Amino acid sequence: MAAFESYLTDNRKRFEQDLCHWLTMASISTDSAYTGQVRQAADWLHDRIDSLGFKTEMIETCGHPIIYAESPPIPNAPTVLVYGHYDVQPPDPLDEWLTPPFEPSIRDGNVFARGATDDKGQMITHVFSVEAWQATIGDLPIQIKFLIEGEEECGSGGLHEFLDGKYDHGQVVTEKLAADIAVISDCSQYGPGMPAITYGLRGICYFELLLHGPSQDLHSGAFGGSVTNPANALSQMLASIIDSDGKIQIPGFYDDVLPLTEAEKKQFAELDFDNDAYMKQLGVNDLSGETGYSTLERRWARPTFDVNGLWSGYQGEGAKTVLPAHAGAKFSFRLVPNQNVDKITASLRDMLQKICPPGITMELVEHHGAPGFVLPLGNPFMQAASEAINQGFGQKPVHIRSGGSIPVVNSFGNKLNIDTLLLGWGQDDDNPHSPNEKFSLDDFHRGIKSSAYLWQEIGKISI
Ligand code: BES
Ligand code: MN
Ligand code: MN
């Protein structure tokens, strides 16, 4: 691999420039004002993968396009399905960015831009590793299939339709995507210099609750006290969902939760974790959560409830004595493996209807939902990943779980019968979905190197 490694060194700057160019394209999937830039980012990636000689397609969907590409099959060697997303979150609040989100800026060895770590910077490492392999070694040792979507940040509508066979043009999707293992780089390492294999993710179910009271806003003095105020009702209903011990009060919510095993508790406890440093990182003066669990347990392996947005009444300057006609909230639960989205949704709806006060009508809208994930221990590809990361980072990875959600991982398991290796090159403080998102350039290059070693290691597994 000597020629390969010098290729990486010689092309360091160009890989960085290419990533930065891609990061200027504001591929914000949720906002239709950016449809043109989403398309531009898709076109760029399509052409980039196409130039590797992969059979590359732009698959049009009900939403943004999917890029699908494959290299030739290699007899007796595994096939890897690489998933990622080229869409990004909206950048707001804009005034908190030190440099504009779509003008990538390099400071202290990091590239700052929306999408730097989530997920453009991480996913493109797998494309650059293929380029470097082909330029110095030649044919790939395995077959690689790229499946890169543009709607991960807004529910993956098009991808779900694609996986359900809606865009089959003569080729059944399960055959097209058939692979021995999936690889996703869209999460984090454990810490600087501590690369990780993520073997578990939390699931999610996301809701919007709308409460309607009087037919229009009222004078709170003239009418207050005689009708239910939707904002008061909303506060009470949301507060009923969780108690002061951090226990969620929806009937049956914990029924299917798999408790942490003693071995896993021990494994979490052995990871070096400093609550004080964590508090400092987040700018808080204390931590809280479900009583009886450590911070890592709370983040990785216990379900949670969070309000994500809340609105009602007067928000302008000064005071206005109003009894608002409406109130609303967006909120979500993170789920752990074995919890069932449909059961929880039904029980939540039932509970909210029961506690909805008189004079209020409620609407509960369901947004996306996906169960949690754990990779069964002893997966044969884990060893290959471990070896590859050791080569790329100069350090063996630790095994961690993560609190975030990547819903497609479940679809790969259920619909395609493929397990997923989650190999995150990011850091916990990369600010995904927040202002000043960043990605360490050293991690970016180590990711490219690890990716190439992954192809090599997986190529040694005969199937
Ligand atoms: N890359 C993240 C998921 C992630 C974040 C995994 C941190 C591990 C650690 C992904 O792009 C994401 O934001 N997922 C959403 C899920 C979704 C259904 C919108 C999430 O976790 O909120
Ligand atoms: Mn992501
Ligand atoms: Mn994300």
Side-chain angles (χ1 to χ4, degrees):
M1 301 282 272
F4 168 80
E5 295 206 7
S6 43
Y7 185 91
L8 291 189
T9 312
D10 296 346
N11 288 278
R12 250 181 109 88
K13 270 269 132 352
R14 190 178 51 82
F15 287 145
E16 291 172 13
Q17 282 160 359
D18 287 355
L19 170 61
C20 286
H21 177 59
W22 198 31
L23 289 171
T24 62
M25 302 170 197
S27 47
I28 307 167
S29 53
T30 199
D31 186 342
S32 57
Y34 291 86
T35 308
Q37 293 202 59
V38 175
R39 173 68 58 168
Q40 203 193 350
D43 284 339
W44 184 90
L45 183 65
H46 171 280
D47 293 353
R48 198 63 207 238
I49 298 178
D50 194 47
S51 73
L52 301 172
F54 278 47
K55 205 169 90 196
T56 310
E57 293 170 63
M58 185 76 99
I59 298 171
E60 299 300 334
T61 72
C62 56
H64 301 300
I66 295 167
I67 289 143
Y68 176 75
E70 59 183 42
S71 61
I74 308 291
N76 306 320
T79 295
V80 175
L81 178 65
V82 178
Y83 164 88
H85 61 97
Y86 65 85
D87 64 321
V88 301
Q89 284 274 325
D92 59 283
L94 270 179
D95 56 358
E96 290 185 29
W97 285 77
L98 295 176
T99 49
F102 298 106
E103 293 173 26
S105 154
I106 295 177
R107 302 193 296 275
D108 304 330
N110 296 295
V111 55
F112 286 82
R114 173 57 87 229
T117 189
D118 186 11
D119 176 40
K120 285 171 167 168
Q122 293 200 58
M123 92 60 35
I124 202 69
T125 60
H126 298 298
V127 175
F128 292 165
S129 74
V130 169
E131 179 201 302
W133 185 291
Q134 291 178 337
T136 55
I137 303 168
D139 290 340
L140 290 166
I142 55 172
Q143 182 180 32
I144 296 179
K145 297 178 173 177
F146 283 113
L147 176 68
I148 316 296
E149 69 158 315
E151 294 180 287
E152 195 273 348
E153 301 290 10
C154 64
S156 300
L159 183 69
H160 285 128
E161 291 198 347
F162 175 63
L163 292 176
D164 286 338
K166 182 145 181 212
Y167 313 117
D168 279 358
H169 300 295
Q171 193 185 6
V172 178
V173 72
T174 47
E175 285 170 19
K176 184 178 187 122
L177 300 182
D180 299 286
I181 188 75
V183 169
I184 304 181
S185 293
D186 191 20
C187 50
S188 302
Q189 304 175 54
Y190 184 61
M194 292 181 80
I197 295 177
T198 301
Y199 69 90
L201 291 169
R202 289 195 291 192
I204 186 167
C205 49
Y206 198 111
F207 301 94
E208 191 165 333
L209 178 64
L210 300 165
L211 300 185
H212 310 291
S215 53
Q216 64 186 68
D217 285 4
L218 301 174
H219 189 294
S220 68
F223 300 100
S226 67
V227 288
T228 308
N229 177 327
N232 293 25
L234 183 67
S235 324
Q236 283 165 351
M237 289 170 77
L238 292 176
S240 307
I241 294 178
I242 191 159
D243 74 5
S244 57
D245 281 327
K247 279 270 183 276
I248 292 154
Q249 301 296 304
I250 302 171
F253 185 83
Y254 291 95
D255 284 1
D256 299 324
V257 167
L258 291 181
L260 273 162
T261 61
E262 281 311 312
E264 234 181 339
K265 271 181 168 291
K266 186 159 169 273
Q267 186 193 324
F268 288 11
E270 277 166 8
L271 288 166
D272 174 34
F273 188 83
D274 180 348
N275 276 324
D276 290 331
Y278 185 63
M279 276 158 54
K280 201 158 166 235
Q281 178 194 335
L282 303 186
V284 292
N285 60 20
D286 208 347
L287 299 174
S288 72
E290 192 182 359
T291 306
Y293 293 91
S294 72
T295 303
L296 286 183
E297 290 167 356
R298 289 168 173 174
R299 293 173 68 196
W300 291 352
R302 295 300 299 172
T304 52
F305 163 67
D306 277 291
V307 176
N308 304 111
L310 200 54
W311 62 94
S312 185
Y314 182 64
Q315 318 272 322
E317 196 178 328
K320 180 187 181 197
T321 48
V322 64
L323 192 163
H326 308 280
K330 291 178 198 272
F331 58 89
S332 55
F333 301 89
R334 293 289 165 168
L335 307 178
V336 297
N338 209 41
Q339 280 186 295
N340 179 303
V341 173
D342 294 336
K343 257 169 89 174
I344 287 167
T345 304
S347 184
L348 170 75
R349 185 179 292 282
D350 190 49
M351 169 179 163
L352 291 177
Q353 267 156 358
K354 282 193 183 125
I355 62 176
C356 182
I360 298 286
T361 52
M362 66 165 254
E363 277 176 79
L364 183 69
V365 183
E366 293 163 36
H367 288 274
H368 45 67
F373 164 79
V374 267
L375 182 66
L377 272 176
N379 179 289
F381 292 95
M382 236 169 164
Q383 190 49 43
S386 195
E387 192 43 50
I389 289 174
N390 190 23
Q391 294 286 345
F393 284 78
Q395 183 80 41
K396 280 254 178 205
V398 288
H399 292 87
I400 62 171
R401 282 164 73 161
S402 169
S405 310
I406 307 180
V408 76
V409 171
N410 300 290
S411 312
F412 288 165
N414 304 336
K415 294 184 182 159
L416 306 177
N417 198 23
I418 303 174
D419 265 329
T420 300
L421 283 175
L422 297 160
L423 310 177
W425 314 140
Q427 293 293 347
D428 210 30
D429 65 352
D430 275 348
N431 302 322
H433 299 201
S434 302
N436 303 307
E437 178 175 345
K438 67 173 173 67
F439 187 30
S440 147
L441 290 171
D442 282 343
D443 285 337
F444 168 63
H445 294 293
R446 292 177 190 126
I448 299 172
K449 189 169 164 187
S450 302
S451 169
Y453 276 100
L454 185 66
W455 315 144
Q456 184 185 58
E457 292 303 316
I458 290 180
K460 293 177 187 167
I461 300 174
S462 57
I463 48 153

